[in-house]
Amino acid sequence: MSENLQNNPFAALFSSVKEAEVFMKTTQPDKPEHQEITRDNNEAVTLLLEKLLLLTTREIPHKSVRVLLKDGGPLNEETFPLLLFDRLLLESPETCLIGSSHGDAASAEASRTQVIVYLNEIYRRCFAERDSPFSCVIEKVKHCVIENITTALEQSELYAGQVPNQQLLEILHKGLGKEAAEEDLVRKLLDVLANQHLTVPDAFMQLIKDLTKEMSQCSLMPYNYQVVDVFDFYASVPLLAPLLTKLPQEFSQDRTGRGYHHTPLGSLLAISCLPKNFGQSNEFFEKPSSKLNQAHKDTENSIWQAQSKINGRIYKIFYALLKVSPESKHKLLTWIEKCLEDNSGRAGLWHVQTGRMLQDITFVSDGFMVNLGAVMLQLAQPFTQDIKSAKILKVDPTYCIAPRVGNDNGVPGAYTGDLGKQTSLVPSSDDSPVVHSNQFSFISSCFFLTHRALHLGIQVVQQKLYRLSQDLSRLQHQYQEVSAQGSPAAERMHSHMETWTAELLSYKAAIFEPNMAEALLQFLAVSAEWLVQIALIPPGQKSLPTSLQGVTLPLPDDDKAHYYLQCIPEFLVETLTETISAVRRFNASLLDASGATQVLPHFMSFIIVFMGSPNRMNNPHLRAHLAECLETLLPDRGSTGGLFTGYREQMLFNHPASGHIVEALIHVFVSIEMTGQSVAFEEKFNYRRPMYEVMKYLWESPRHKKSFKLLADQALANMESAKAPLFLRFINLLINDAIFLLDEGLSYMSQLRESQIERDNGTWASLPAQQRAEREQNFQQTSSLARFHNMLGSSTIQTLCMLTKEISQFFTHGTLVDRIAAMLNYFLSTLVGHKQRNLKVRDMEKYEFRPAEIVSDICTIYTHLYSDEVFCSAVSADGRSYTPQLFSQAHDVLVRIKRGVLAEEIEVVALKVEEAGQVRAEEDDLAASAPEEFLDPIMSHLMTDPVILPSSKLTCDRQTIARHLLSDQSDPFNRQPLTMEEVIPNTELKQKISAWLEEQRSKRREKLKASET
């Protein structure tokens, strides 16, 4: 430096060279962090570039194989991009090799002619040297590689005879999801493409198509997680993410809902323990009858672990797609929307009841839709995990009626598909049409799309599982019968049983995976609470709640259809009720898990608010299902107590609105009969069976028993209201049910007796095989019907027995007393009279036929009501079934079944009825000579309170028309509408009848007095 300064003319400005040196050192700027490359560094960089690029411009000995570019000049930071491009354009690089190891793999690598493959290998070597002190050089090389790959893909004509896109595809197949270097290269490449607004190379789409086909061949165990890693990678890159959400037409010619199996996301969702295709055997639970339950449990646990892991990975992909870009989020929600819409037929009754062949042609598999529901449940957890956070209130109830985004007048955020076409909780009102919001949040979309996925997936499988369990139960019963007879059909039936059992176990494993089941209950509980909060909005208020409100009595007025409930599809409730029923039938312990206390109160609130209100939920069948759910929430009567039993009792009796349960339950009981729809009798009585159980349980609570009595008192005070009181309609239907069920049950028992006799005496054996098979089939069907009617008939009689004990005055009211008396007489005479021998069959318990219990219950009802003379008179007046010997026959049966106390009580009843009969006989003698105008035109008895029917102008007894109007709100003579409030008392006729009766009684007294003297 000193010599240079001496020759520098500016050095004369300083007093000495030393001073100039000091100035130079203090004023010279600091060297950059990366110092100038010295001559040694230059050599190191050249060696590094030769190692990375496998080329050289130096004709010197090389330890490794290199491609020599003779006229390229020095290889350094500035020249390597041009030299690399020259290398890429070489047609025969193998002729330019120098260095050792000719002919081996290293030579092949150095002389690579495939441009993308060669560049990728350079990038891999760069990635391996990423910790080198010359990282800045390495980054430049990587950037140059990316630029050349981009050029090759965009201008493939530069490389004659090569297909760069195909080379890229091969690299993606080998490295993506497996090698970090390839993933780093792809990310950098796509960043460049995005910045330059270039299209994504076809190789990326082709890779997805190839991997989708590969996944379609996968099963639950084993599972190709490397493919999932590739999908993970795609979901994390904005430019690639939309490729995962392509619709079916991009992958196949299938335009049905089934086409979603051929999409990338669909290929992941279809992996399940349930078969994908019709005719495909169950992969798990082979020959189930030959294995212990523990083996099935182990298999189930293995399925659960595998499915939970897979669904967790799919959830991460969905989550990444939602986060990576707005475009990707929109495309994913659109994919879900269209998938659900195109597979909406899965919810049809025909789909559940028919075989799987049509399903496999038209819709995605059960496993696909169950898994989609499981993934959606995970997406919904941020706003459903903590009910107290009130995040669920951000769900907009008008979502489903909004036009879908992208259509004319489409609303931003509305991925509604066909949700607006679904039946709503209450019909829409023309008086107050609902206006949807102008935009919707992801929370609203996620909430309703999750519900739709659950409805088309888990709920359908729940229904199939229930039907399959019933079919399997019947098949097992038939198998036992056939096996006992030594029929060759037994082997074939056993094979069917094995197949069905494996299918049943697979269904259970699919829908009761613990993580999913817990999330499902939590989601449904939050949904129930949300529906309650919407229902609690006061009439006329349009603003939505922002904080959770408690459920207290009285509930808000529900005289009109609720404003917001017109927008909400009823399938939300269908999924809730089906899930609770499925849990009760197949996995009851799930409700007693640690999280039960967090979900059960919300289910209880929902049941209380909605079960008894058609203006909150119009569908009576759906409200009847809520009664079944209520039965599920009852404490286990067989339990000896415990934490959960006590908790359920407290919840049932101490809920702030529990005082409304009885009225709601009776309301839905009556609603099933008054639907105006054609309801199969078996369906109707299946609805009522759980209601009887709930009533019996509630009756044991003084608080709820008081509710029953209050309703009865209100009904007695309003027996002639325009609309029959609720409790009157309830008791009338209860009596109808008892008559129908017991009568049918006894009839079936008589048919079974005849069939057993014919079978035993050899009549069936002599028949042709086809007729014998028909007889056997009819016998099995009759057996099933007998069990059904006997079981429900007994429950109905037990309910009447319970109610008559403390509400006896209601049953002895003139409107009901004749019917209850005639019913009791008929069934008691059938069970204790000479007809009883027609009911004796083998294995009566098998048919749920317990005549001793029925006789005891009927006799107990007599003892509850006999203190009222009106009842005793009605019993004695029943000319169809009552005889003086009836109660003595009943007494003998009661003694025989060791019900001695009740036998003594029935003797007292007999005396009271006999006395009432004598009085009644005297009155009948008088009525026999009564003028025609004094007789009821319907029942032909002497009227006591005649009334005029306003439209027909005819007169009948008040008691007669009141009974008629209970089941038919019309004038019996001209079918015009009629209510009790409209009838007109015929005071003049009543006075005539009273005067005539008094005259007849006076004559009788005088005649009796004369005979005594």
Side-chain angles (χ1 to χ4, degrees), residues 735-1004:
I735 295 173
N736 288 347
D737 286 359
I739 294 171
F740 175 81
L741 290 166
L742 284 177
D743 199 28
E744 290 290 295
L746 296 178
S747 173
Y748 287 127
M749 293 309 296
S750 179
Q751 294 177 41
L752 288 175
R753 174 179 169 79
E754 293 177 4
S755 296
Q756 286 184 352
I757 292 173
E758 290 180 354
R759 180 194 278 175
D760 293 344
N761 63 23
T763 302
W764 285 17
S766 63
L767 294 172
Q770 183 176 352
Q771 291 186 25
R772 190 166 61 248
E774 290 175 355
R775 292 285 182 92
E776 187 63 44
Q777 184 177 2
N778 290 337
F779 181 80
Q780 296 299 335
Q781 184 177 5
T782 303
S783 299
S784 177
L785 290 170
R787 275 194 302 273
F788 174 81
H789 287 86
N790 289 333
M791 180 178 64
L792 285 172
S794 296
S795 295
T796 310
I797 287 294
Q798 290 167 9
T799 304
L800 283 170
C801 187
M802 174 186 78
L803 294 172
T804 54
K805 184 175 183 179
E806 299 197 34
I807 314 179
S808 59
Q809 71 278 14
F810 196 86
F811 292 89
T812 57
H813 187 276
T815 304
L816 295 172
V817 67
D818 288 340
R819 296 193 66 226
I820 190 75
M823 179 196 76
L824 295 174
N825 289 346
Y826 171 72
F827 290 117
L828 186 62
S829 66
T830 303
L831 291 167
V832 302
H834 67 277
K835 294 181 182 179
Q836 64 175 298
R837 68 173 67 94
N838 298 330
L839 307 174
K840 291 184 179 180
V841 299
R842 288 192 303 276
D843 303 324
M844 287 196 293
E845 192 69 27
K846 176 180 176 181
Y847 307 109
E848 300 286 342
F849 184 51
R850 303 180 182 92
E853 290 184 12
I854 300 175
V855 169
S856 296
D857 288 337
I858 289 175
C859 288
T860 301
I861 295 174
Y862 277 112
T863 64
H864 290 164
L865 304 178
Y866 83 97
S867 60
D868 193 307
E869 292 183 0
V870 174
F871 172 72
C872 292
S873 177
V875 170
S876 66
D878 175 27
R880 178 190 179 196
S881 304
Y882 175 74
T883 64
Q885 296 79 32
L886 178 62
F887 290 111
S888 63
Q889 292 170 334
H891 175 273
D892 294 343
V893 171
L894 291 171
V895 171
R896 193 160 60 246
I897 62 176
K898 299 181 180 180
R899 294 297 305 274
V901 175
L902 184 57
E904 294 176 2
E905 292 176 348
I906 211 68
E907 286 184 320
V908 177
V909 173
L911 291 174
K912 290 281 290 183
V913 170
E914 185 178 358
E915 293 173 1
Q918 293 174 356
V919 174
R920 181 73 179 228
E922 294 175 359
E923 293 294 324
D924 288 345
D925 288 344
L926 293 176
S929 58
E932 185 72 22
E933 65 172 321
F934 291 177
L935 300 180
D936 181 88
I938 298 175
M939 302 301 295
S940 298
H941 64 249
L942 185 66
M943 292 184 285
T944 58
D945 189 3
V947 293
I948 301 171
L949 308 185
S951 60
S952 63
K953 306 301 182 184
L954 296 177
T955 297
C956 64
D957 203 12
R958 181 183 294 274
Q959 177 179 316
T960 300
I961 192 62
R963 279 201 303 268
H964 167 79
L965 292 178
L966 279 176
S967 55
D968 188 349
Q969 301 287 305
S970 66
D971 187 317
F973 301 102
N974 61 11
R975 312 306 301 166
Q976 294 298 309
L978 178 65
T979 66
M980 280 304 295
E981 288 186 343
E982 294 173 331
V983 301
I984 305 167
N986 194 335
T987 307
E988 180 181 355
L989 182 58
K990 183 176 182 179
Q991 291 174 348
K992 287 183 179 181
I993 295 173
S994 297
W996 181 84
L997 275 174
E998 184 57 36
E999 179 183 353
Q1000 298 302 310
R1001 289 171 182 151
S1002 177
K1003 290 180 180 179
R1004 172 172 286 187

Side-chain angles (χ1 to χ4, degrees), residues 388-530:
K388 294 180 181 178
S389 70
K391 290 181 181 178
I392 191 63
L393 296 181
K394 295 180 180 180
V395 174
D396 193 320
T398 67
Y399 180 86
C400 294
I401 66 170
R404 71 168 73 186
V405 61
N407 283 10
D408 294 339
N409 303 318
V411 179
Y415 299 89
T416 48
D418 63 351
L419 294 180
K421 300 177 183 178
Q422 306 306 311
T423 304
S424 57
L425 287 173
V426 293
S428 57
S429 171
D430 295 334
D431 298 335
S432 182
V434 181
V435 178
H436 59 74
S437 301
N438 294 324
Q439 64 178 11
F440 297 98
S441 66
F442 171 74
I443 288 181
S444 293
S445 295
C446 185
F447 177 79
F448 286 105
L449 292 176
T450 300
H451 265 292
R452 189 60 172 163
L454 296 175
H455 183 243
L456 299 179
I458 291 176
Q459 184 198 353
V460 171
V461 174
Q462 289 167 349
Q463 293 173 329
K464 289 184 176 181
L465 176 60
Y466 177 54
R467 290 185 62 84
L468 180 60
S469 67
Q470 288 183 313
D471 293 342
L472 183 58
S473 177
R474 283 190 286 266
L475 183 61
Q476 289 171 336
H477 179 74
Q478 294 171 9
Y479 173 73
Q480 292 171 358
E481 296 275 347
V482 171
S483 296
Q485 299 170 15
S487 172
E491 184 176 350
R492 185 173 64 254
M493 295 177 72
H494 183 267
S495 176
H496 286 311
M497 285 170 52
E498 290 284 83
T499 302
W500 288 5
T501 302
E503 189 174 353
L504 183 141
L505 292 171
S506 296
Y507 275 144
K508 289 179 65 177
I511 63 174
F512 288 116
E513 187 277 309
N515 293 328
M516 183 186 73
E518 183 179 348
L520 174 62
L521 285 179
Q522 178 70 16
F523 179 79
L524 294 177
V526 174
S527 300
E529 184 60 45
W530 177 75

Side-chain angles (χ1 to χ4, degrees), residues 26 87 202 229 490 517 544 796-797 822 845 884 916:
T26 56
R87 160 65 181 84
D202 294 340
D229 291 338
L544 294 169
T796 310
I797 287 294
E845 192 69 27

Side-chain angles (χ1 to χ4, degrees), residues 209-377:
K209 290 182 177 180
D210 294 344
L211 295 181
T212 298
K213 290 181 180 178
E214 184 177 338
M215 284 304 299
S216 67
Q217 304 303 317
C218 282
S219 61
L220 185 62
M221 291 183 272
Y223 188 82
N224 190 347
Y225 282 101
Q226 289 183 342
V227 174
V228 183
D229 291 338
V230 177
F231 284 19
D232 267 332
F233 179 79
Y234 270 55
S236 66
V237 180
L239 215 56
L240 296 182
L243 300 182
L244 292 179
T245 53
K246 294 285 186 180
L247 295 174
Q249 51 265 35
E250 297 281 347
F251 301 91
S252 74
Q253 299 299 315
D254 193 342
R255 296 295 183 268
T256 67
R258 181 77 179 179
Y260 285 85
H261 267 270
H262 307 301
T263 65
L265 297 179
S267 68
L268 298 177
L269 292 168
I271 305 298
S272 168
C273 65
L274 301 177
K276 296 180 185 179
N277 303 306
F278 177 75
Q280 185 177 348
S281 60
N282 287 285
E283 184 180 353
F284 304 95
F285 306 107
E286 185 180 3
K287 297 181 179 179
S289 65
S290 64
K291 298 176 182 177
L292 299 175
N293 285 336
Q294 185 57 47
H296 296 324
K297 199 67 183 174
D298 292 341
T299 301
E300 185 178 61
N301 286 330
S302 298
I303 290 172
W304 286 348
Q305 291 175 10
Q307 196 69 67
S308 179
K309 183 178 180 180
I310 291 169
N311 286 345
R313 294 293 301 273
I314 300 174
Y315 157 71
K316 290 180 180 178
I317 292 172
F318 273 53
Y319 185 80
L321 290 170
L322 290 171
K323 293 295 184 181
V324 72
S325 71
E327 178 195 6
S328 175
K329 177 180 179 180
H330 168 69
K331 286 184 176 295
L332 174 62
L333 292 175
T334 300
W335 186 92
I336 297 171
E337 172 198 31
K338 291 186 178 298
C339 177
L340 296 174
E341 182 178 14
D342 291 345
N343 286 280
S344 60
R346 281 180 52 84
L349 186 63
W350 65 270
H351 172 73
V352 176
Q353 293 181 344
T354 56
R356 288 180 46 199
M357 185 172 182
L358 186 59
Q359 161 198 336
D360 288 345
I361 296 173
T362 312
F363 305 122
V364 296
S365 63
D366 289 328
F368 179 111
M369 199 57 75
V370 168
N371 290 338
L372 178 57
V375 172
M376 295 301 296
L377 285 172

